[in-house]
Amino acid sequence: MFLVFLGIILVPVFLPDPPGNATPLTHYTTFTNYLLWGLWFPLVFMSVIVTGRSWCGLLCPMGAAAEKANAYGPKFKIPRWLSWEGTPVVSFLIVTIIGQTVGVRDHPEAAAEVFGGTMLAAIIIGWLFGSKKRAWCRHACPIGLLLGVFSRLGAVEFAPWTRKSTTEGYTDRGVCPTLIDISRKTESRHCIECFRCVNPSAKGGVHLEFRKPGKEIERIRDHHANPVEVWFLFLGTGIALGGFLWLVLPIFQKMRQSLGVWSIHNGLTWMGQPGPAWLMSVHPERNEIFLWLDFVMITGFMTGCMVLLAVVLAAFTSCSSALAGRAGGDGTFGSRFTELGYQYTPVAMVSLIIGLGGKLFEPIAYTPLGIDGVHGAKGLLFVIGLLWSIRLGERILARQGVAASRRWLPLLPGLIGTLAVGLGWWPAIFGLMK
């Protein structure tokens, strides 16, 4: 997989640009682009429903390279700044924004920079920190955090034969490369399914369980409900939405023009200059040169969308939490808020697949279903995510002790919140792209 990965991100840099009518079957660069954004990106997310984070433990070249480097490094103790739970959130936000400003889905040089740079960061962190561990996978991988949250929806779980407590454990000892205290394992998020801890004959080992998809979130209070994960769902969905909407909404160009006029009037001439190629798209041979104005607008627009959607989802979740308390739900406001925030997991996942992995659906256009089939497939997937989110919300309320006859009211804000996410992705679902 490491060699395949290098072939996908490096070879297109040295090839001539594909013609306008190129397809994945006629040009290697177009082929690798479809592999990344039409197959790998959406299918890895969808795979967690069936096999959990099996990609991370069995196939991911970045994690493997980080662990290989760890065998030769100084094995420093993992520092607090790296083990901070917000580190992978920051990592995801930075990579997502940089991916947009350099044009990671359009230019092979940008794909090599983003994916190659991420690989280099994984190797460096793996070389420096931990002993026979994957500090990168546990603490810093931007995709790992997404897969970890979504793996809570998965149909498989590695569970200890004998669990010592219901509190998730963390340890730098033992066989787990992602530092899970196996005897205290309660959640799927950090498990990369490498099978190293599986020993059917050992009482202290783990075994593979099959479960109903979404069961872990339905009973999230028993599986280490984490407010950082919830806020990441809110922030991550918003930043990804902003990365899509700036491409398609006319208001972005109006705002860009207004900022450009303002910067000229105020003597900020540097805003009209191109920036460095490693930070933004500078490809005169392809008629695309980003100015500092574009960089500021894209990062600002994406950040604004992120904050706006996070505020909206937090507001609706707060309403649900307050109404659940009035309807007889147990726990504190904060605990109910965290638990109910997980109901957005399915709709967040399908939103990312539809918006940023939309190439997956493009082949449908070449069937008798045509472009309507593409829109229909995206719409159906979103409806499934919407209904699943509502169902999870209802089950979470049941676990909080809200009577069945009183659940509809605290469930209503969650329904509105999921519809708000859908409204943002409406152009992606129905193909209203430039």
Side-chain angles (χ1 to χ4, degrees):
M1 286 302 298
F2 183 83
L3 295 177
V4 169
F5 177 75
L6 292 182
I8 289 174
I9 68 168
L10 293 182
V11 173
V13 175
F14 302 99
L15 297 178
D17 289 345
N21 60 350
T23 71
L25 299 179
T26 61
H27 198 283
Y28 184 76
T29 300
T30 308
F31 171 70
T32 57
N33 186 270
Y34 185 76
L35 282 181
L36 282 174
W37 305 108
L39 295 180
W40 173 78
F41 186 87
L43 293 183
V44 165
F45 283 160
M46 296 172 71
S47 72
V48 299
I49 304 298
V50 182
T51 62
R53 289 184 64 180
S54 57
W55 162 265
C56 301
L58 303 178
L59 296 173
C60 179
M62 297 186 186
E67 187 170 354
K68 189 69 175 178
N70 183 247
Y72 303 98
K75 299 178 176 58
F76 293 135
K77 184 179 179 180
I78 298 174
R80 288 186 177 182
W81 65 264
L82 183 59
S83 61
W84 175 53
E85 285 194 287
T87 298
V89 180
V90 175
S91 173
F92 175 80
L93 298 180
I94 291 175
V95 169
T96 302
I97 291 176
I98 292 296
Q100 290 294 310
T101 60
V102 299
V104 70
R105 287 183 292 173
D106 300 319
H107 306 294
E109 298 86 355
E113 174 190 340
V114 172
F115 289 101
T118 305
M119 170 72 83
L120 182 60
I123 293 174
I124 292 173
I125 288 179
W127 184 76
L128 286 173
F129 304 116
S131 177
K132 297 181 180 180
K133 303 300 176 187
R134 290 193 181 190
W136 167 262
C137 300
R138 170 83 190 215
H139 296 303
C141 178
I143 298 298
L145 179 58
L146 273 176
L147 297 179
V149 176
F150 296 152
S151 70
R152 289 186 180 272
L153 296 170
V156 296
E157 177 188 13
F158 287 85
W161 286 111
T162 304
R163 183 176 283 119
K164 290 184 178 180
S165 70
T166 57
T167 303
E168 181 72 10
Y170 176 92
T171 179
D172 57 2
R173 299 181 179 182
V175 298
C176 180
T178 52
L179 303 117
I180 299 172
D181 185 346
I182 301 301
S183 63
R184 298 168 59 195
K185 183 178 183 296
T186 61
E187 61 177 295
S188 301
R189 181 173 65 142
H190 298 299
C191 178
I192 61 173
E193 302 192 3
C194 62
F195 286 85
R196 297 178 197 179
C197 61
V198 178
N199 187 351
S201 62
K203 293 183 179 180
V206 303
H207 62 286
L208 180 64
E209 287 185 355
F210 291 93
R211 60 189 183 181
K212 181 181 70 173
K215 181 179 179 181
E216 184 172 324
I217 289 183
E218 291 181 6
R219 302 181 180 183
I220 192 62
R221 63 171 47 184
D222 300 329
H223 298 279
H224 191 211
N226 190 332
V228 173
E229 286 185 303
V230 171
W231 282 106
F232 173 68
L233 279 175
F234 296 171
L235 296 172
T237 304
I239 201 77
L241 180 61
F244 169 75
L245 290 180
W246 79 267
L247 291 166
V248 300
L249 292 185
I251 191 174
F252 176 83
Q253 295 300 331
K254 294 180 181 179
M255 294 170 62
R256 178 183 181 277
Q257 184 176 5
S258 298
L259 179 61
V261 172
W262 179 88
S263 63
I264 292 174
H265 288 167
N266 287 272
L268 303 178
T269 56
W270 59 270
M271 292 277 279
Q273 300 296 320
W278 62 268
L279 190 59
M280 61 193 75
S281 180
V282 182
H283 299 283
E285 73 282 3
R286 301 183 189 123
N287 298 317
E288 182 173 279
I289 300 177
F290 280 3
L291 312 176
W292 280 107
L293 172 65
D294 299 296
F295 179 82
V296 171
M297 277 298 307
I298 293 170
T299 55
F301 189 85
M302 291 177 66
T303 303
C305 286
M306 175 187 71
V307 172
L308 178 61
L309 188 61
V311 168
V312 169
L313 293 180
F316 284 123
T317 307
S318 296
C319 290
S320 292
S321 178
L323 292 171
R326 290 174 175 265
D330 58 12
T332 64
F333 173 86
S335 66
R336 293 194 303 270
F337 177 95
T338 300
E339 292 170 6
L340 287 166
Y342 279 97
Q343 69 182 300
Y344 297 107
T345 306
V347 75
M349 184 175 71
V350 300
S351 295
L352 288 170
I353 293 171
I354 291 171
L356 302 183
K359 286 181 179 289
L360 174 67
F361 304 91
E362 289 181 359
I364 300 176
Y366 300 99
T367 70
L369 296 175
I371 193 65
D372 291 335
V374 175
H375 300 161
K378 291 180 179 180
L380 177 61
L381 184 62
F382 184 81
V383 169
I384 292 173
L386 173 67
L387 295 177
W388 198 0
S389 289
I390 296 171
R391 173 62 177 174
L392 290 179
E394 190 273 335
R395 289 289 82 202
I396 292 170
L397 289 170
R399 291 282 291 175
Q400 292 178 353
V402 180
S405 60
R406 306 187 68 182
R407 287 175 205 157
W408 67 271
L409 188 57
L411 195 60
L412 186 59
L415 171 62
I416 299 174
T418 54
L419 290 175
V421 175
L423 183 63
W425 288 108
W426 190 269
I429 295 173
F430 292 100
L432 304 180
M433 298 182 66
K434 68 177 182 180

